Amino acid sequence: MREGKLMAHNDDAQNETKVPVAAKSPDEASRELNKLFSATFDSVLRIEEHALDNRLTAGLTISELHTIAAVGLYESKPMKAIAEALHVTLATVTAAVNKLEKKGFVERRRNQEDRRQVLVSLTTKGRKACRAHDMFHEKMVARALSSLDADETHALMSALRQLVSFFNEEADYAASARKRNRSEAASA
């Protein structure tokens, strides 16, 4: 990416010709971006799966590790807050916490101020797994950014902030639409 122009791989050509992104039609650019998003997501998942192969995270799935991260190192969180952080249902978090508790990564206790509320916190084993997962992400990002200069890093961060904002808005809209549809179906 040091050539000064952002280049994209041209999959239509037999050879490894690179075409400036600006020269692509909107449809071609859209298809290319879709491939890049998918490839990036798949690559991160593959890398993360390989990173699970260590003594601190042995026996955990990626979603279990993300549940551990959502609990936080030294916090006690209600199940509802964990579900909201992960954008999943309370039933999904309950199932995950049940498994993590059996494996010794989390513990539950009743909130002393509101006995109806269950708080989840990490055990020592859970905190070690959380730190290992955090370190994995820090190293992965550092390696990914190592080939970019300051301007490229800034541009990437700016673009990713915009994308995160867009995807969050889309997810919120989809969730509202699902809620409306369920409500309409229930009242019909």
Side-chain angles (χ1 to χ4, degrees):
M1 289 185 50
R2 300 258 185 249
E3 297 97 65
K5 287 186 179 177
L6 185 61
M7 304 297 276
H9 179 71
N10 182 352
D11 289 332
D12 298 327
Q14 289 289 350
N15 57 16
E16 294 291 319
T17 311
K18 297 218 179 210
V19 177
V21 171
K24 290 187 171 229
S25 73
D27 285 346
E28 290 172 320
S30 178
R31 283 192 297 275
E32 179 75 17
L33 282 172
N34 185 48
K35 287 179 186 178
L36 289 170
F37 284 144
S38 295
T40 301
F41 183 76
D42 292 344
S43 294
V44 170
L45 284 178
R46 267 195 333 273
I47 293 166
E48 201 163 23
E49 284 171 355
H50 293 298
L52 288 175
D53 191 22
N54 71 63
R55 66 180 176 81
L56 299 175
T57 58
L60 292 172
T61 66
I62 291 172
S63 76
E64 288 172 335
L65 256 179
H66 291 166
T67 302
I68 287 170
V71 171
L73 276 175
Y74 295 102
E75 300 177 54
S76 291
K77 284 191 180 168
M79 301 278 273
K80 183 178 179 183
I82 299 167
E84 288 171 357
L86 295 170
H87 306 287
V88 297
T89 65
L90 191 54
T92 300
V93 168
T94 300
V97 168
N98 287 343
K99 289 178 186 176
L100 289 169
E101 189 174 35
K102 285 178 186 168
K103 292 178 180 184
F105 289 94
V106 300
E107 57 191 14
R108 291 186 240 216
R109 65 177 174 76
R110 293 266 173 211
N111 184 339
Q112 295 304 313
E113 294 154 18
D114 181 355
R115 302 288 299 159
R116 297 169 297 174
Q117 189 177 60
V118 175
L119 299 174
V120 179
S121 58
L122 299 181
T123 61
T124 300
K125 185 177 178 181
R127 284 191 296 276
K128 288 178 181 178
C130 189
R131 282 190 199 103
H133 185 248
D134 289 347
M135 191 177 302
F136 155 75
H137 278 280
E138 288 171 17
K139 287 180 179 178
M140 181 181 64
V141 169
R143 284 193 313 266
L145 295 178
S146 67
S147 65
L148 302 180
D149 64 28
D151 289 340
E152 291 168 327
T153 299
H154 179 73
L156 177 61
M157 288 172 56
S158 178
L160 288 175
R161 280 189 198 105
Q162 290 176 30
L163 285 170
V164 166
S165 178
F166 167 78
F167 288 131
N168 284 338
E169 287 173 16
E170 287 295 307
D172 290 346
Y173 178 78
S176 319
R178 273 194 311 275
K179 224 181 240 186
R180 273 192 313 277
N181 290 342
R182 275 190 243 130
S183 177
E184 290 170 4
S187 64

